[in-house]
């Protein structure tokens, strides 16, 4: 497997930013015992690093979403293939997502989880990619803003490839 050549975020930059986000979350959520909901599969590495940067206990759960359509653009129709198992009513919920592109996936998930009537519902995403945004989803915590391109690594994949790379790269075909 040949590694893509255009490096966007190196390990040092990622680690520093995750520590900063962890510090902010520690200020905002201390004592609230939040549930962090990771969006599979892409967010698993970001979530794993993020929870270890927190100075207070949290619960972790996962959802898995399938967006209809293949390739590098999501179709907008979203199906939940694995739901959260933790009761969320009255809990402080933080969605942890890898990347927001059109915003359709996250908006569908936000509505789905809001229906459980959590005490609060916020979003933390690793990368905010604004160029193709179609829905203005409120992003409360953002790791990096990257204007465009198709990104891989640190959980992000292209057809299941490159997910395990410790840095983030852009694919030139993106
Ligand atoms: P959207 O915001 O509805 O367009 O979909 C976002 C989802 O598409 C993310 O959760 C990713 O799974 C995937 N995605 C969007 N952009 C990229 C990218 O640059 N690299 C890898 N996956 C991406
Ligand atoms: Mg995703």
């Amino acid at each position: 497997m040949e590694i893509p050549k255009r490096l966007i975020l190196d390990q040092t930059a990622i680690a520093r930013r995750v520590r900063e986000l962890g510090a902010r979350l520690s200020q905002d959520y201390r004592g609230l015992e939040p549930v962090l909901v990771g969006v599979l599969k892409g967010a698993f590495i970001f979530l794993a690093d993020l929870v270890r940067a927190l100075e207070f206990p949290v619960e972790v759960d996962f959802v898995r979403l399938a967006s209809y359509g293949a390739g590098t653009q999501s179709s907008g129709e979203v199906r939940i293939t694995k739901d959260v198992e933790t009761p969320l009513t009255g809990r402080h919920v933080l969605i942890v997502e890898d990347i927001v592109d059109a915003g359709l996936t996250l908006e569908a998930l936000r509505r789905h989880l809001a229906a459980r009537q959590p005490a609060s519902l916020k979003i933390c995403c690793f990368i905010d990619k604004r160029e193709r945004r179609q829905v203005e989803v409120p992003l409360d915590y953002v790791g990096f803003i990257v204007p465009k391109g198709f990104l891989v690594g640190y959980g992000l994949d292209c057809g299941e490839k490159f997910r395990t790379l410790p840095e983030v790269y852009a694919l030139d075909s993106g």
Side-chain angles (χ1 to χ4, degrees), residues 100-145:
V100 187
D101 186 13
L104 299 163
T105 310
L106 203 49
E107 182 52 24
L109 177 63
R110 209 185 57 76
R111 272 190 271 113
H112 175 75
L113 295 182
R116 309 273 169 90
Q117 298 185 298
S120 70
L121 180 59
K122 290 196 197 175
I123 297 170
C124 175
C125 76
F126 177 58
I127 292 175
D128 178 4
K129 195 171 74 174
R130 304 208 56 93
E131 190 189 38
R132 298 196 294 192
R133 191 66 41 85
Q134 291 177 35
V135 205
E136 275 312 317
V137 204
L139 302 178
D140 302 280
Y141 306 91
V142 172
F144 297 93
I145 297 174

Side-chain angles (χ1 to χ4, degrees), residues 63-78:
V63 287
R64 174 121 168 83
L65 308 173
S67 160
Y68 292 101
T72 58
Q73 200 164 347
S74 78
S75 66
E77 265 186 274
V78 175

Side-chain angles (χ1 to χ4, degrees), residues 90-110:
R91 300 293 303 271
H92 293 276
V93 176
L94 181 67
I95 299 172
V96 179
E97 172 64 306
D98 52 359
I99 186 164
V100 187
D101 186 13
L104 299 163
T105 310
L106 203 49
E107 182 52 24
L109 177 63
R110 209 185 57 76

